[in-house]
């Protein structure tokens, strides 16, 4: 690997402050760190893409569930409006206004 002399001098001064590491050790650690960070970045991007792709599917599932819940609620409220007794045993019929 070749570097301009001024950059190499600055690099050597910086390495002196790093617990007596030599150039090879420092470069090795820097490359390992770079690769790890690059992999993390790629994983984050893949996760972001996956969440975006699943957004419409999750919304559709939630809306379907909500639709089922609303139908069950309407059915329950209709039964309440017809009778005091909810077990279907044919109790006295009364009319209620549900708010």
């Amino acid at each position: 690997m070749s570097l301009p002399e001024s950059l190499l001098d600055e690099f050597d001064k910086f390495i002196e402050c790093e617990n007596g590491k030599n150039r090879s050790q420092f470069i090795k650690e820097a490359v390992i760190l770079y690769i790890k960070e690059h992999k993390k970045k790629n994983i984050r991007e893949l996760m972001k893409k996956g969440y975006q792709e699943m957004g419409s599917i999750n919304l559709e599932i939630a809306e379907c569930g909500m639709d089922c819940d609303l139908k069950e609620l309407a059915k329950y409220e209709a039964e309440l409006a017809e009778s005091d007794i909810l077990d279907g045993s044919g109790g006295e019929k009364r009319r209620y206004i549900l708010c």
Side-chain angles (χ1 to χ4, degrees):
M1 178 170 86
S2 60
L3 295 172
E5 193 66 35
S6 60
L7 184 57
L8 186 59
D9 289 340
E10 190 173 341
F11 182 58
D12 285 338
K13 288 176 187 174
F14 183 77
I15 291 175
E16 287 175 14
C17 298
E18 291 291 316
N19 300 325
K21 293 179 184 176
N22 64 34
R23 288 180 190 164
S24 293
Q25 289 171 323
F26 188 86
I27 291 171
K28 177 183 172 185
E29 290 175 11
V31 169
I32 290 169
L33 180 62
Y34 176 81
I35 291 170
K36 284 181 181 179
E37 291 301 316
H38 195 299
K39 286 180 180 179
K40 284 181 189 178
K41 180 182 174 191
N42 286 342
I43 289 170
R44 281 189 213 106
E45 289 298 319
L46 287 172
M47 289 176 67
K48 179 180 175 183
K49 183 179 176 185
Y51 281 120
Q52 289 172 338
E53 289 174 0
M54 289 299 297
S56 60
I57 295 170
N58 290 337
L59 180 60
E60 186 177 334
I61 291 169
E63 287 174 346
C64 180
M66 187 67 161
D67 185 48
C68 291
D69 288 347
L70 290 175
K71 286 177 183 175
E72 288 297 316
L73 179 62
K75 182 179 167 184
Y76 176 73
E77 287 181 344
E79 288 176 8
L80 280 178
E82 291 294 323
S83 175
D84 282 343
I85 300 173
L86 297 177
D87 63 5
S89 65
E92 182 183 331
K93 302 229 175 203
R94 296 186 182 164
R95 299 284 177 194
Y96 298 98
I97 298 175
L98 300 174
C99 299

